[in-house]
Amino acid sequence: MGSRPRRADAQRNYDLLLAAAAQVFAERGTDAPLDDVARRAGVGNATMYRHFPTRTDLLVAVYADEVAQLCARGQTLSAAESPAQALHEWLRLFMDHIASKRDLALAVTGDSGATALVAQWHASMLATASSLLDAAVRAGAVRADLDVRDLLTLVRGIALTAADRAQSDRLLALIDWSS
């Protein structure tokens, strides 16, 4: 929609669509028919597609606030006494986020139509993780040769493939990042 503010009715429809999509995706998964989202929001399909031209656009918008909260939590953790513990806690939160949004993570992977917001999310999460990792390295709490992209890829892999939370925790504990 560009950088102009939305009219009040357009903003209301946008908000109704986001709320409806969150409900429908939670109930039926991200492959649920988009017609169901529009119907639940009480708007026509054309209105939905005007705001969200693709399924990925809608998925990304539904989860945008959660990504912002995850990055904000990383900033809060950066003030923690133990940089290694802060890094580990944020990686666990990142893992939980990916695992709970498995359908979203898989839907946007390799999607050439993914929005600019997805690129911003990746940049924000990378910056957050880099900051936490750098602090832990400076404190001598983790190995200096850890690469943040490798670490995020590994944690994402755990989140997407683990059978349950217990296995995720065990796999995360296997990562040797000690100095």
Side-chain angles (χ1 to χ4, degrees):
M1 289 238 34
S3 60
R4 290 185 310 155
R6 291 183 182 97
R7 295 182 333 256
D9 62 328
Q11 185 63 50
R12 185 188 72 247
N13 288 341
Y14 182 89
D15 294 340
L16 287 169
L17 284 162
L18 285 181
Q23 292 170 351
V24 169
F25 294 159
E27 292 168 6
R28 302 182 53 202
T30 58
D31 288 334
L34 295 183
D35 290 349
D36 291 354
V37 172
R39 199 171 10 265
R40 178 146 328 161
V43 301
N45 287 353
T47 298
M48 182 181 60
Y49 287 111
R50 190 175 319 112
H51 288 288
F52 306 105
T54 69
R55 179 180 298 273
T56 298
D57 292 328
L58 182 57
L59 285 167
V60 166
V62 167
Y63 299 119
D65 286 342
E66 292 180 29
V67 172
Q69 290 169 3
L70 179 63
C71 291
R73 181 69 179 132
Q75 294 303 315
T76 302
L77 287 170
S78 68
E81 228 174 271
S82 167
Q85 186 176 4
L87 173 63
H88 191 268
E89 184 175 336
W90 190 83
L91 288 173
R92 180 178 306 287
L93 293 169
F94 174 73
M95 182 176 67
D96 291 344
H97 172 77
I98 296 293
S100 69
K101 306 298 179 271
R102 186 181 310 241
D103 291 341
L104 172 65
L106 294 172
V108 300
T109 299
D111 183 348
S112 61
T115 67
L117 186 54
V118 172
Q120 291 172 357
W121 285 1
H122 288 267
S124 295
M125 287 189 275
L126 182 64
T128 300
S130 292
S131 175
L132 291 166
L133 178 59
D134 291 347
V137 168
R138 282 192 306 276
V142 299
R143 296 183 355 222
D145 66 340
L146 288 177
D147 178 85
V148 69
R149 291 179 191 275
D150 291 345
L151 195 55
L152 290 177
T153 299
L154 182 60
V155 173
R156 183 177 183 275
I158 291 170
L160 292 176
T161 59
D164 54 33
R165 173 64 188 256
Q167 185 181 33
S168 292
D169 289 343
R170 286 192 310 274
L171 292 171
L172 187 60
L174 289 175
I175 299 173
D176 178 19
W177 49 30
S178 58
S179 56

